[in-house]
């Protein structure tokens, strides 16, 4: 069985999230570490992935003004990414793209 270990970049645009009663939007690049294996059907299966780091975060208020990202805002943004199937699909696609080079 072939295994793959690595890290993949995923870029996110217009992440919509809330903190308290305020709505925000963000763009960010994140790196995820992953483990995958080549299954008996000849397909790569992602076994696990986790956040390695967050880069180039830009956060906007609901009215479009850029806000300096602080830990609380970045944590709320990441929570939205982690809990959203749409964003998880993007992470998994970035991993599959990276595996092609393994």
């Amino acid at each position: 069985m072939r295994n793959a270990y690595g890290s993949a970049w995923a870029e996110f645009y217009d992440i919509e999230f809330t903190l308290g009663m305020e709505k925000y939007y963000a763009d960010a690049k994140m790196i995820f570490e992953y483990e995958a294996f080549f299954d008996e059907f000849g397909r790569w299966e992602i076994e696990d992935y986790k956040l390695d780091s967050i880069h180039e975060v830009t956060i906007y208020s609901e009215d479009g003004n850029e806000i300096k990202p602080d830990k609380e805002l970045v944590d709320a943004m990441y929570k939205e990414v982690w809990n959203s199937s749409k964003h998880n699909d993007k992470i998994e696609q970035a991993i599959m793209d990276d595996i092609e080079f393994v």
Side-chain angles (χ1 to χ4, degrees):
M1 180 182 295
R2 290 174 42 198
N3 291 328
Y5 305 91
S7 57
W9 281 93
E11 296 184 36
F12 301 89
Y13 300 98
D14 296 324
I15 302 164
E16 184 178 319
F17 66 99
T18 58
L19 182 61
M21 299 297 288
E22 300 293 322
K23 185 184 288 188
Y24 298 94
Y25 299 89
D27 301 331
K29 292 182 181 179
M30 301 180 198
I31 299 176
F32 293 86
E33 293 181 351
Y34 65 84
E35 290 182 46
F37 63 93
F38 203 65
D39 71 15
E40 64 272 9
F41 302 108
R43 298 179 306 228
W44 281 106
E45 292 289 330
I46 300 169
E47 188 168 330
D48 191 24
Y49 60 86
K50 64 181 179 181
L51 178 68
D52 177 65
S53 55
I54 299 174
H55 296 267
E56 299 181 31
V57 176
T58 307
I59 296 179
Y60 302 93
S61 63
E62 192 169 14
D63 59 7
N65 293 320
E66 189 172 335
I67 297 173
K68 182 178 179 184
D70 62 20
K71 182 176 178 2
E72 193 174 31
L73 285 168
V74 172
D75 288 349
M77 176 208 60
Y78 179 67
K79 184 177 178 183
E80 171 61 30
V81 168
W82 189 255
N83 291 323
S84 165
S85 61
K86 175 180 92 173
H87 296 307
N88 278 274
D89 289 347
K90 187 171 202 84
I91 296 166
E92 291 174 6
Q93 184 59 54
I95 291 169
M96 295 307 274
D97 291 347
D98 190 72
I99 289 173
E100 290 180 16
F101 299 104
V102 173

